[in-house]
Amino acid sequence: MEMLSFTISNLWMMVCIVLVFIMHLGFAMLEIGLTRSKNTINILFKNMAVIIIGLLAYTFMGFGMMYSGPQGGIFHFGGFGLRIPLNAGTPQYNPYYTFWTDFLFQAMFAATAASIVSGAVAERIKLSAFLWFSFLYVTLIYPVVGYWHWGKGWLSGIGFHDFAGSTIIHSVGGWAALIGILFLGPRIGKYNGKVSTIEGHSIPLATMGVLLLWFGWFGFNGGSVLSADPGKVSKVLVITTLSATSGVVGAFFSSYLLFRTYDITMVINGILAGLVGITAGADIMGVTDALVVGLISGILVVLAIVGIDRLKIDDPVGAVPVHMVCGLWGTLAVGIFGEKAGLKQLFTQIVGIFSVGIFCALGACVIFIALRKFIGLRVSEKEEHEGLDINEHSMRAYPDFRANQH
Amino acid sequence: MEMLSFTISNLWMMVCIVLVFIMHLGFAMLEIGLTRSKNTINILFKNMAVIIIGLLAYTFMGFGMMYSGPQGGIFHFGGFGLRIPLNAGTPQYNPYYTFWTDFLFQAMFAATAASIVSGAVAERIKLSAFLWFSFLYVTLIYPVVGYWHWGKGWLSGIGFHDFAGSTIIHSVGGWAALIGILFLGPRIGKYNGKVSTIEGHSIPLATMGVLLLWFGWFGFNGGSVLSADPGKVSKVLVITTLSATSGVVGAFFSSYLLFRTYDITMVINGILAGLVGITAGADIMGVTDALVVGLISGILVVLAIVGIDRLKIDDPVGAVPVHMVCGLWGTLAVGIFGEKAGLKQLFTQIVGIFSVGIFCALGACVIFIALRKFIGLRVSEKEEHEGLDINEHSMRAYPDFRANQH
Amino acid sequence: MEMLSFTISNLWMMVCIVLVFIMHLGFAMLEIGLTRSKNTINILFKNMAVIIIGLLAYTFMGFGMMYSGPQGGIFHFGGFGLRIPLNAGTPQYNPYYTFWTDFLFQAMFAATAASIVSGAVAERIKLSAFLWFSFLYVTLIYPVVGYWHWGKGWLSGIGFHDFAGSTIIHSVGGWAALIGILFLGPRIGKYNGKVSTIEGHSIPLATMGVLLLWFGWFGFNGGSVLSADPGKVSKVLVITTLSATSGVVGAFFSSYLLFRTYDITMVINGILAGLVGITAGADIMGVTDALVVGLISGILVVLAIVGIDRLKIDDPVGAVPVHMVCGLWGTLAVGIFGEKAGLKQLFTQIVGIFSVGIFCALGACVIFIALRKFIGLRVSEKEEHEGLDINEHSMRAYPDFRANQH
Amino acid sequence: MKKVEAIIRRSKFNEVKDALYAVGIDFFTYWDVTGVGNEKESHLYRGVASSRDIQRRYLSIVVSSSFEKRAIEIIMKAAGTGEIGDGKIFVSDIKEAYRIRTAQKGPDALN
Amino acid sequence: MKKVEAIIRRSKFNEVKDALYAVGIDFFTYWDVTGVGNEKESHLYRGVASSRDIQRRYLSIVVSSSFEKRAIEIIMKAAGTGEIGDGKIFVSDIKEAYRIRTAQKGPDALN
Amino acid sequence: MKKVEAIIRRSKFNEVKDALYAVGIDFFTYWDVTGVGNEKESHLYRGVASSRDIQRRYLSIVVSSSFEKRAIEIIMKAAGTGEIGDGKIFVSDIKEAYRIRTAQKGPDALN
Ligand SMILES: Nc1ncnc2c1ncn2[C@@H]1O[C@H](COP(=O)(O)OP(=O)(O)O)[C@@H](O)[C@H]1O
Ligand SMILES: Nc1ncnc2c1ncn2[C@@H]1O[C@H](COP(=O)(O)OP(=O)(O)O)[C@@H](O)[C@H]1O
Ligand SMILES: Nc1ncnc2c1ncn2[C@@H]1O[C@H](COP(=O)(O)OP(=O)(O)O)[C@@H](O)[C@H]1O
């Protein structure tokens, strides 16, 4: 009986691993879709590398750092490599999943955090700088924050609630994205005199990417229940879906009211906004809560995209608005809506947001400063003009098509 | 024990929800693939909107209308919003799935019905008209028909059999597609003097779309068993696969005999034909039945594509041949092949086909007439020439590529 | 209790079927991505056909040939069509899955073996020759080899270990690919005087294809456990992932050291190399074994790509390096790493490799010679210049885009 | 011989082509270009408006001098809408023309 | 100086290029165009046949007048198949040529 | 009237365009071409190096004869980097120009 329930929950978690995995394809397609074709191989390369770096870094250090520490702590080093327990495959390890499932699910999450940065710094960062950044950030920063909350460190001790990672995953990625952009500066041609547009080269791939992300999110949030509990998991799926849905409503109406246009890139960012926004509280929100949280996420993402652009912060894919802004909003929302709503919880959430934010931002700064010094962050002006593909990869993404390069 | 079997079945249903969800990506890719690049954003926008509209409309009204009515009825209004039962997450709600799973699975189906229309009316319908149509059709028409059969209304009372929706989903979408096309008329340039071709702009995306639809169909049909019953579900998967397979055989040979060409768009429509055709009876057909039903579906879809074109009915993606013609054929086939074959059943199936057909066609007519009056159905000639993307969305789907516009 | 565990394992197997199915989309995208746009429809057509042919051939003969023979045998003919046992849907058929699940999982594998050939012979093989080859090879060759090992034939009798098919699937496909290339010769323009490059037309689609293959591989290897055993399956998933990961590391560093470039096509081939390499032993390898096996696979694939090119063997997508070379390496690795490592096992593995290799290569030769005689293998020079799409299919894959044809 | 080069709206191409065919000018070459001129295409992407140069179709028609006038008149009529952006026609001399297939020269090579 | 413009089959491009290189003409510009003429490309899509204008390659080669003849001969030979659709060559005058890099003028600017 | 045709680096296009605008030449047509010349683009694909012809932008500007010099000077300045591959400018005669919208002829039709 125990064995059967163990098998079922483990099965669900394995399904979720597979779903979270395919989110990487989603990120890759979204990012290339919203950038120019002359940089496509470069972005794909970064996205592939990030999966590998994320998984390996997590294997060699991250999992140990994040999950083997003492309760309530701040930092923990768990040794190198995977420590495979004797009961790795039995319910004695955990009544709901094996050691292997546990590790792989968490490793896929780690890789996700790194993926978020990739789109924001696209079209101008040096490949080597990005690879080093990802490696260091996933090895040194993410597992620390992860330990604080999911590894039963101090944040979990004070009652911080972040179900599937609005803060622990999305804002961790989002902060790094923001710092990265600030260090790099905008792409050439984006803010000469006036704000101009650099349109993404393939709206179909961008849209596909977002639908694949939504698809994967069923595993991301659904798996974060950490069991196959029918009531809990299926409710999480509904809540997640409804928030994504109302995220679109928010983004659609706010972008329509502001610009009188049906901007599909806003709609797809609205989906992601709703998904990120509900990720912190998908387990404790009701139907109406989800609809409201999603709606506000959708509005926020549009306002943030416009606002950030006004500040001449050049984020080609909207990573900061989606992952940082909506990540923070979702974390806050746990104190405002749903089962745990209350001033005390709100305060705890704010503590979590700030401590994670400061740690990540500082960490990202230190890494970027070091990289700027040792290898440089930005490609040359000539490379940026001609495209990173031909310069860093000696190839073109679409050699058979005649391009309107710009 | 009961709890475990509940957990397992619910788990399978959740997997199926995720699979049905990704069918929307399949529809989107198929539709843009078979149309011109100047209308790609418009079609993607419609497809994204349809998911959102389908899910929200079903949340606010559809689910209540469809599932809370009395046995044998014709129409039922179930109130607004979701009525969450106290036992939502327990086997007392249903021994095989939670309330949440139930709702989400059905909501994904509802969104599917609306997606079908989108491709047929593509490249000329006004965006606002399409959005209103989808909203009204999913809110007012689909749940009524759904109630007749799956909600235990009158059609289910007389013994109508439609396992996963050849009639209830596909023909509902197909009828609306047909009526929509008739109201809109053909695209400019399709039938000037002689029948000409307007080729789809990306065969790879169209093919990808169909394989994703097949992928999702495992959840569509597999989930319609409404439990994880191993024998039943796995047989449904085999039957579904074999029908898709022989659908290709039918479409391949009939198109080859007719035109002496290897037309891949016919092959992919053959897959869909086989899938739609078996959807009504996937639970009661044997292996040979499935092969025959699929084969006939594949032949029918080719004949219907050619026939409809001769009648100057312009259906860019073949929605009417696939979803309406094969939907009807599949429903009929339940009376001819498989466990329930028999004259009486055949007659009942015909009653179902006609009643659903008339109701949907009339409903669609009323909605289109109202929309034609209040907001107009068709974009201007200039917009159609230049493309809907630049006119309705102020963007281009592939700004980096030099187009051969036509 | 038995019923529940049956239901769970069967559920997992069904999930794996769906995952293996989508590998066909992965193959299709990878293959078109790495070839020229003038041959895209042709390749898609072949890939769709291969799914259908694989499934049908397996239904009509393969499954019977492969699984109903006596222990230790060499050849068996199981009759035509599916023999559905009375206990098809119960644990009496098999405690872990139904007859239907068994059949469909195996049928998806059969279709995979045929898919592998398609990319290697692309851009010059006659469509009809390829279709006949696939049909004959899947009907006559694959089930024999499959019977030897998985059908409890002589190879399984001597202790050959090939968990999910490094030899039985990948090398079977890889040998046919190699023989096909040798019969066909290189594409025009590939080796005139010096080795030149013919670049793939869409790196995004190629990358997408590989991530979809990885996604499907979770089902390919995860399902090969043939139950939902939590410890075993989840470990297989981890081992598979780690090998893919270190496959990239191997391919990245070896291609960087050799060519000083960040070649994304090498990286994606590295993923596949790691996956193919671990497929034989994913159930008996530890974490370090997996990392080493993957690393070597990644290095091997780069060396093989370069070596094969030097030998003027023109394999546009790297099917031989990935599926044959790494398939053989993975099979050997079972004798070197992991639980079964040992000289005796190594020897058995070599016996398996050679017997399968000789049988497949001979079989492929016979088929190709017959086809060359009766219908010819290669398209005309003019057709190859202008592209197979317009000549064999009277269509273009991207009619709206202006091509840089070459 | 003259080379008549016309830069027209893409949406007018079919009408121009039909009109040229009607007078027997069924030999020419065309490609798509970007036009910098009075008309712009306005884009709105992620909240930022911009105006882009517009896509046009470039027709290059080599005609014997006697056909020059007719070709120009026809294009003027079929390509015109009266709104900004109708396009331009440029005429220049062609010294010699050859048909590759037959090695014919001069006006005989034109069709 | 003369501008030699050749509209050829795409499938013949590599042969033409190699032939031009062989006589030292390794400076030119080319792009893909659509050709309206005797040859059409026949399509068959979802049961309907249609014929489309054909894709061709447009070569624009500016040569000093002394090279004109040679260039034309070579293209004629390398691009020809004898079947309909081999293409055309048009020759016109170029008044002046400049190399941007060095500001050289006239025939010196051509290579 | 003269037709000034410039084949430049794509990466220099924006500078050239801005420079032309600055002197009031805001009417022209451009498209992307492939250039065969001294500069090549080197590719490295699956271990094999190759050099390909380079993508360039082709500007076709019809100006009244008085503007010819200015246009050439400006392009020379804005498009130059001093490195191989800066491109060429070719000048030829235009016999007549028409604005389709208004049927204007000659230099009046140019802008
Ligand atoms: N002097 C010129 N040289 C080359 N092309 C030109 C010139 N003037 C106009 N064009 C082309 O003609 C197109 C139409 O011109 P535009 O100014 O938009 O409209 P109109 O001719 O109605 O004033 C431009 O987009 C450009 O491609
Ligand atoms: N008068 C013309 N002006 C411009 N281009 C032409 C002209 N005549 C032919 N062409 C181009 O030359 C190509 C080849 O001509 P076509 O009539 O097909 O074959 P052929 O030259 O063998 O008779 C056409 O597709 C078209 O692009
Ligand atoms: N004689 C010519 N005819 C047509 N185009 C030419 C000619 N010579 C050069 N070009 C074009 O000019 C471009 C630049 O020339 P290139 O030889 O690379 O550099 P540079 O002018 O600095 O020597 C070439 O890529 C080609 O497109």
Side-chain angles (χ1 to χ4, degrees), chain A residues 197 199-200 263 265 269 309, chain D residues 43-48 50 52:
Chain A
T197 57
E199 297 183 24
D263 186 337
T265 73
N269 275 168
D309 214 33
Chain D
H43 280 225
L44 189 45
Y45 179 78
R46 294 173 85 69
V48 182
S50 63
R52 314 220 142 194

Side-chain angles (χ1 to χ4, degrees), chain F residues 59-102:
Chain F
L59 276 62
S60 169
I61 318 173
V62 180
V63 291
S64 60
S65 305
S66 57
F67 258 90
E68 176 191 343
K69 261 226 155 128
R70 193 129 40 119
I72 291 166
E73 269 165 30
I74 278 161
I75 296 172
M76 299 272 270
K77 227 176 97 188
T81 65
E83 283 176 51
I84 277 181
D86 278 351
K88 301 270 148 84
I89 302 175
F90 300 120
V91 182
S92 53
D93 279 333
I94 284 291
K95 294 280 159 211
E96 193 52 276
Y98 302 83
R99 184 195 303 277
I100 294 174
R101 172 163 50 100
T102 56

Side-chain angles (χ1 to χ4, degrees), chain A residues 250-312:
Chain A
F252 172 80
F253 283 106
S254 54
S255 69
Y256 186 75
L257 290 177
L258 284 171
F259 316 116
R260 300 282 150 190
T261 183
Y262 301 114
D263 186 337
I264 192 165
T265 73
M266 291 298 195
V267 163
I268 62 184
N269 275 168
I271 289 177
L272 295 181
L275 291 168
V276 171
I278 204 65
T279 290
D283 57 336
I284 53 169
M285 299 278 175
V287 167
T288 320
D289 302 322
L291 290 170
V292 176
V293 169
L295 192 78
I296 297 177
S297 302
I299 297 169
L300 274 178
V301 85
V302 171
L303 297 180
I305 287 170
V306 177
I308 277 178
D309 214 33
R310 292 271 153 83
L311 295 173
K312 311 211 167 180

